[in-house]
Amino acid sequence: MSDRFDILRSWIRTAADRAIDRATGTRLATATRRALERLTQQLWRLSDDALTTAAAHAEGVDSAMVACRRGRIFVDASLTSGQEVQFSLAPLSVRFAPRGAKEISFDVEPPGAFDHSIVGAIAACIARATWPMILPPDIREMGSAIVERESAGRVRVDLRTVPAVRRFASRGTAAMILDVLELESIRVERGALALKLKLPQLAP
């Protein structure tokens, strides 16, 4: 168990170091603050810009805009088919089972009016924030999670279905990290999605 935690500490600290090394000027202060926040408060924020980028690169999407406000994630997108979609998501639950599902459920408004690819891309963005070691920092292609409809107004996503997560989990003992580093909760703030992470003790 201690070896597994040592590996995890190394990955997280390396990710923080890379973020700081890439930053300059005022960006250095921002990167440092966010890295410290992630390590000490176990909190990470996905900005509207990050979510918009993920949605805009989803399969079948021509352009998209994502905005977090009033407790919901609002999506306005144009699809390559010519269709326009507008919908919003509200995080309902997070369920991480040991050696099992890593699921997020969302309420959808209006019921049934959502694009699977966009929801899957947003989920992939959440997966990368939860497990930053699954891809090198200069690689942006995550793939999209599989989205399952539970009802007209509710969908469920298992983060293990994100292609980058599947590839990472196939690397022998690397799969154990997915159980050690968990997503505890999701909260929508103005301008960002706040992820509360559940980490093991990181002190030496």
Side-chain angles (χ1 to χ4, degrees), residues 13-168:
R13 287 170 176 164
T14 297
D17 289 343
R18 285 173 176 167
I20 294 171
D21 288 343
R22 291 196 307 271
T24 57
T26 57
R27 290 177 59 202
L28 175 59
T30 300
T32 302
R33 176 179 56 78
R34 289 178 178 173
L36 289 173
E37 182 178 63
R38 184 167 192 163
L39 292 172
T40 60
Q41 299 180 23
Q42 301 176 5
L43 186 68
W44 191 249
R45 288 183 173 85
L46 288 171
S47 68
D48 286 351
D49 287 346
L51 295 170
T52 293
T53 298
H57 286 85
E59 184 177 357
V61 175
D62 186 45
S63 63
M65 183 172 65
V66 179
C68 295
R69 62 181 187 276
R70 302 195 304 274
R72 303 190 71 89
I73 307 164
F74 290 86
V75 178
D76 189 341
S78 298
L79 307 184
T80 53
S81 65
Q83 181 184 1
E84 302 286 329
V85 293
Q86 294 86 33
F87 62 93
S88 68
L89 305 169
L92 290 177
S93 65
V94 176
R95 177 178 172 268
F96 272 47
R99 295 178 298 281
K102 318 296 182 189
E103 295 179 344
I104 304 170
S105 293
F106 295 99
D107 171 78
V108 181
E109 284 289 345
F114 68 95
D115 180 80
H116 282 76
S117 294
I118 292 176
V119 177
I122 290 173
C125 200
I126 293 170
R128 182 165 194 166
T130 304
W131 302 301
M133 70 290 297
I134 62 177
L135 281 177
D138 56 333
I139 302 297
R140 295 299 173 192
E141 183 55 46
M142 284 283 297
S144 181
I146 296 173
V147 180
E148 297 183 6
R149 187 198 298 262
E150 293 190 319
S151 66
R154 180 171 177 146
V155 296
R156 181 179 68 247
V157 184
D158 190 335
L159 300 184
R160 296 177 305 167
T161 65
V162 176
V165 175
R166 289 203 304 266
R167 289 192 296 270
F168 179 79

